[in-house]
Amino acid sequence: KNIVILISGAGSNMAAIVRAAQQEDWAQRDGARVAAVISHRPDAAGLAFARAQGIAALALDHRAYASRAAFDAELAAAIDRQQPALVVLAGFMRILTPGFVARYAGRLINIHPSLLPAFTGRHTHQRAIDAGCRFAGATVHQVTADLDAGPILDQAVVPVLPGDTADSLAARVLTQEHLMYPRAVRACLQRLAALSDAPPKPPTAG
Ligand code: GRF
């Protein structure tokens, strides 16, 4: 079962998943591996990390494409070459077209740095602080055509402390993301495997 991870920058969540796969031996236990890391930014630092781990690392410079649809088509072709069981968005900062999302429905997940449905979109930590939230966190969810709104798979919560800045809160949340996302990825793979191994339902009578 191949996992493809899409990143935009540091890729710290991607790195956490790669390390978990190595340390927990997902290949042996789940027949799962991170097959490729893809970014729309050639300078994404996470690509160098992936290459150093011997993982295929591909940059599709989104500026080279005339439209979002053209980029998404090229991205889908690169992803499909890996025949992924699961496509993981990890710090991926692009809006995907509905056609792309539909193509991977049920095997496309994302991590968002807020306790959804609160604070969809950007600058989530500053907004939580400005709103006086006592808690913040991150959410792993299925990706649907509606931004940051798909079925929730897992959440991690952290306290917002007096004097917190967006950066101090982001760092506290990111620590929890790195624990939660690898577990969520593994759980998704096991659920998808169970679905594909399940015997076909007998036709309903009548
Ligand atoms: C994280 O806050 C994550 O929740 C969001 O992007 C940020 C950076 O992620 N999706 P990463 O370090 O690039 O994995």
Side-chain angles (χ1 to χ4, degrees), residues 9-14 90-93 110-113 125 174 177-178:
S12 70
N13 275 289
M14 172 273 297
F92 190 67
M93 303 306 279
N110 181 47
I111 190 162
H112 179 76
H125 301 307
L174 202 56
E177 292 182 29
H178 296 165

Side-chain angles (χ1 to χ4, degrees), residues 130-153:
D130 294 348
C133 293
R134 293 297 188 277
F135 296 93
T139 303
V140 178
H141 63 96
Q142 297 268 9
V143 174
T144 62
D146 302 321
L147 184 66
D148 300 332
I152 289 174
L153 296 172

Side-chain angles (χ1 to χ4, degrees), residues 56-79:
L58 183 65
L60 293 176
D61 189 339
H62 61 286
R63 295 167 302 186
Y65 295 86
S67 70
R68 185 175 294 277
F71 172 78
D72 278 13
E74 192 63 31
L75 179 61
I79 291 169

